Amino acid sequence: MLRATIQKDGDSDTVDSFFAMRKVEVKKDGADITRLFLNGKPYFQVGLLDQGFWPDGLYTAPTDDALKYDVEVTRKLGFNLIRKHVKVEDQRWYAWCDRLGMLVAQDMPSSHDLSTELARERFLQEWLEIVDQLRAHRCIVMWIPFNEHWGEPPPDFQREVVRATRAAD
């Protein structure tokens, strides 16, 4: 919990929020196995793929409570990571993941034909907009720009996307 108050000339304004810092890194542990480390400790991920489908709204959740419930049930089932696939979810879903301690691996939504220079330019622009939109959410521990077979984008382009993603994050 974070509370900030500004006072001036007898007037004050207070805002309540939440705050956290998290260190995420990939490194070798004592057994020389590459692992994800969370706050300096090895963290074993147990995750599922979530396409964010809602029977009564397709890809739009009916309520904020439904978004929260989705994350809570995922935790109760023993998972600690959700790979968000096919879409960028409503910001409220990421906020619930932040508050409830759920890690997120964010995919680039949908399939693309990346065989042309124009398609690759648009892909990179859209991807970096997604990273910019979501990077403040502490729940996101992985960015997944490529999924399945998208026309085998040139290796130089793949390296550029990785470099740009790291710089944007």
Side-chain angles (χ1 to χ4, degrees):
M1 178 67 149
L2 171 72
R3 174 170 281 171
T5 302
I6 297 175
Q7 295 180 339
K8 183 177 180 182
D9 301 329
D11 293 322
S12 68
D13 192 14
T14 300
V15 175
D16 291 326
S17 188
F18 63 98
F19 171 81
M21 294 179 65
R22 173 179 285 171
K23 182 178 182 180
V24 178
E25 57 189 329
V26 176
K27 64 181 184 178
K28 294 189 183 228
D29 68 6
D32 207 32
I33 298 171
T34 302
R35 299 186 187 271
L36 179 89
F37 279 69
L38 181 63
N39 298 329
K41 297 178 183 173
Y43 194 82
F44 186 75
Q45 304 133 69
V46 180
L48 57 78
L49 184 97
D50 180 0
Q51 295 187 341
F53 179 79
W54 300 91
D56 51 351
L58 298 180
Y59 287 108
T60 302
T63 64
D64 188 56
D65 287 339
L67 291 166
K68 180 182 179 185
Y69 177 79
D70 203 43
V71 177
E72 288 174 330
V73 167
T74 302
R75 294 281 298 167
K76 286 178 186 173
L77 290 171
F79 297 100
N80 60 15
L81 180 132
I82 299 172
R83 180 177 171 188
K84 184 51 75 171
H85 184 64
V86 176
K87 69 184 241 188
V88 173
E89 191 59 81
D90 185 302
Q91 288 282 339
R92 296 171 299 161
W93 181 83
Y94 298 96
W96 283 119
C97 289
D98 287 342
R99 289 184 175 120
L100 298 171
M102 180 62 69
L103 300 183
V104 174
Q106 179 64 53
D107 277 14
M108 172 65 164
S110 302
S111 181
H112 300 275
D113 176 357
L114 298 174
S115 61
T116 69
E117 184 65 35
L118 179 59
R120 291 189 294 271
E121 287 174 17
R122 289 178 176 168
F123 174 94
L124 182 57
Q125 178 183 355
E126 183 178 340
W127 175 241
L128 292 177
E129 288 172 3
I130 290 168
V131 173
D132 185 56
Q133 176 185 357
L134 299 177
R135 71 178 176 206
H137 288 285
R138 65 182 184 260
C139 61
I140 298 179
V141 296
M142 285 179 241
W143 300 105
I144 304 172
F146 300 107
N147 180 46
E148 298 166 358
H149 185 275
W150 290 359
E152 295 295 322
D156 287 346
F157 176 68
Q158 293 178 46
R159 285 189 287 276
E160 170 61 16
V161 171
V162 169
R163 185 208 58 74
T165 303
R166 287 178 175 159
D169 184 53

